[in-house]
Amino acid sequence: MHGKLSSLAVVAAATSLVAGIPLDRRHYPGQDYLVSLGPRPYYLVHNVSESPLKDKLVACENKPVGIQSWSIGHRGGGTMQIPEETVESTLAGARMGAGVLECDVSFTADRGLVCRHDICDLHTTTNILLKPELAAKCSIPFTPANATHPATALCCTSDITTAEFKSLCGKMDGFNKTATNVEDYQHGTPAWRTELYDTCGQVLTFPEWIDLVDSIPGYRNFTPELKTPPKAVPLPFNGYTQAQYARDAMNVFVQKGIDPSRVWFQSFTPADIYLWLNEFPAFGKQLVYLDEDGDTPDNFTVAVNRLGALKASGVSVVAPPINYLLTVGGPNNDTIVPSSYAITAKEVGLDVIAWSFERSGPLSKVAANEDYYYASIAPITYYDGQAYNVIDVLAQEVGIIGLFSDWSSTVTYYANCFDL
Ligand SMILES: *[C@@H]1O[C@H](CO)[C@@H](O)[C@H](O)[C@H]1NC(C)=O
Ligand SMILES: *[C@@H]1O[C@H](CO)[C@@H](O)[C@H](O)[C@H]1NC(C)=O
Ligand SMILES: *[C@@H]1O[C@H](CO)[C@@H](O)[C@H](O)[C@H]1NC(C)=O
Ligand SMILES: *[C@@H]1O[C@H](CO)[C@@H](O)[C@H](O)[C@H]1NC(C)=O
Ligand SMILES: *[C@@H]1O[C@H](CO)[C@@H](O)[C@H](O)[C@H]1NC(C)=O
């Protein structure tokens, strides 16, 4: 684990001249680093219905592929099939052409900053329950399922030290609710993902992640997300406040001398955004306010109506889930069109980033599964090729500036084809 990272650190040193490389060399690094899309975008393109969009996508099949900053690697970018927030998922997203890579920033018992999507998801995203001495430290230890109750556990990054965190293996996010023992509890990945790469994904501290991303050829940018702890971890945590945590996280970029133009720091918590706007103005233009406050029809209206105030308060970039941006419309009520949220965000001058593509499995099942990301267009979503109709509306009609994806090549293919 350490060996791999220190060799990456050597690469980081060797490529620190990257800022001097002309722009086209950054995006097409050359024979020493090839972006590779794999078969999935081609499978999707072939399933797009006959249309000018399909013609254009087919015409791009052999177009040279470069790194696309429109393509944002969600939890790394290989997350659909490779354990999230690991070295492996990050390298996969980068290889699939993501120009911006994500780490979710959580804190440990000794206030280390580490990459984990939820402060309390270690029981489903790592092997912690298989390590008795660490499992014993979990906020809620493992309880096996019985006839009336599912298996439970709750293990938080704040339960363990940074060194203990580094001894864990990343795995696919999932659990077996009927498990009667910790070995069985490890499984539960949906069939359209895979456990093929559950071979001890290398977990990362936040500083290690910055060095890793900085070391990848092609000049990649950073989009960390500061997590707000769940109720199980009340703040202040042994004196640690959300404000100090927000400061500490941004200061890692400052200390490493990363250019603010490469950083798109995100948070769902308005106080984080306003703290950074005040205390780190150099990073202010690219702060990303994550919006999930519109999940019911009433709340959606409230969320749309406050976009103007958000912009007026200094926010430049808003990032809602895909379903907030799209709705069903057109003369026959059978077309994907921009929603009132999308139209209003543009009108008030906010840039928009959307999340997250490729988390939904086969599109033929999104309606039956009540999938979140397709919720607003589920009645007209039937087959996988429509993934590119969705991206096309987000790109051309909503005009988003970036799209998070659990499988970066799907988004990279489109962005490369359309020169976004
Ligand atoms: C797309 O795939 C579905 C099966 O999921 C099939 O019914 C449909 O005909 C395909 N469409 C095209 C244009 O290939
Ligand atoms: C089943 O588990 C729950 C909690 O996990 C416990 O409260 C309950 O007593 C158990 N039932 C039996 C029959 O053991
Ligand atoms: C889930 O756990 C139960 C009970 O331990 C076990 O019988 C079953 O095989 C497990 N399922 C998976 C997918 O591991
Ligand atoms: C809707 O907004 C209210 C008030 O802010 C909040 O209490 C409630 O949890 C929200 N509902 C959803 C589903 O987000
Ligand atoms: C389209 O569907 C929506 C929601 O189902 C409905 O309110 C609206 O009246 C429909 N419009 C047309 C033109 O059929």
Side-chain angles (χ1 to χ4, degrees), residues 47-201:
N47 193 236
V48 176
S49 294
E50 298 309 320
S51 57
L53 171 64
K54 180 166 189 157
D55 295 343
K56 168 90 177 172
L57 290 168
V58 168
C60 290
E61 280 186 341
N62 297 307
K63 183 178 178 184
V65 187
I67 295 159
Q68 302 296 325
S69 56
W70 203 79
S71 177
I72 308 174
H74 185 238
R75 308 188 192 181
T79 302
M80 185 166 72
Q81 304 221 323
I82 296 177
E84 64 187 48
E85 315 264 348
T86 62
V87 171
E88 291 80 2
S89 182
T90 304
L91 293 180
R95 183 59 73 176
M96 293 191 278
V100 187
L101 297 162
E102 184 182 44
C103 153
D104 290 290
V105 185
S106 296
F107 62 81
T108 60
D110 53 347
R111 299 188 183 184
L113 301 177
V114 298
C115 297
R116 247 344 65 186
H117 180 258
D118 282 306
I119 289 180
C120 296
D121 74 8
L122 295 181
H123 52 295
T124 67
T125 67
T126 74
N127 65 344
I128 190 167
L129 293 176
L130 299 179
K131 293 179 159 272
E133 73 288 2
L134 297 184
K137 300 187 176 191
C138 288
S139 290
I140 301 177
F142 177 74
T143 307
N146 63 22
T148 53
H149 288 71
T152 53
L154 190 74
C155 304
C156 309
T157 53
S158 52
D159 293 334
I160 58 175
T161 66
T162 308
E164 288 167 341
F165 174 81
K166 284 292 292 175
S167 74
L168 300 175
C169 295
K171 63 180 270 294
M172 291 302 282
D173 184 13
F175 66 101
N176 173 0
K177 65 176 191 283
T178 63
T180 52
N181 56 67
V182 286
E183 286 77 19
D184 286 350
Y185 188 79
Q186 304 301 300
H187 304 290
T189 303
W192 51 273
R193 296 178 182 262
T194 179
E195 294 177 358
L196 182 63
Y197 305 103
D198 276 2
T199 50
C200 195

Side-chain angles (χ1 to χ4, degrees), residues 43-50 54 364 382-386:
Y43 154 80
L44 293 173
V45 166
H46 282 267
N47 193 236
V48 176
S49 294
E50 298 309 320
K54 180 166 189 157
S364 58
Y382 311 106
Y383 55 93
D384 286 345
Q386 287 177 292

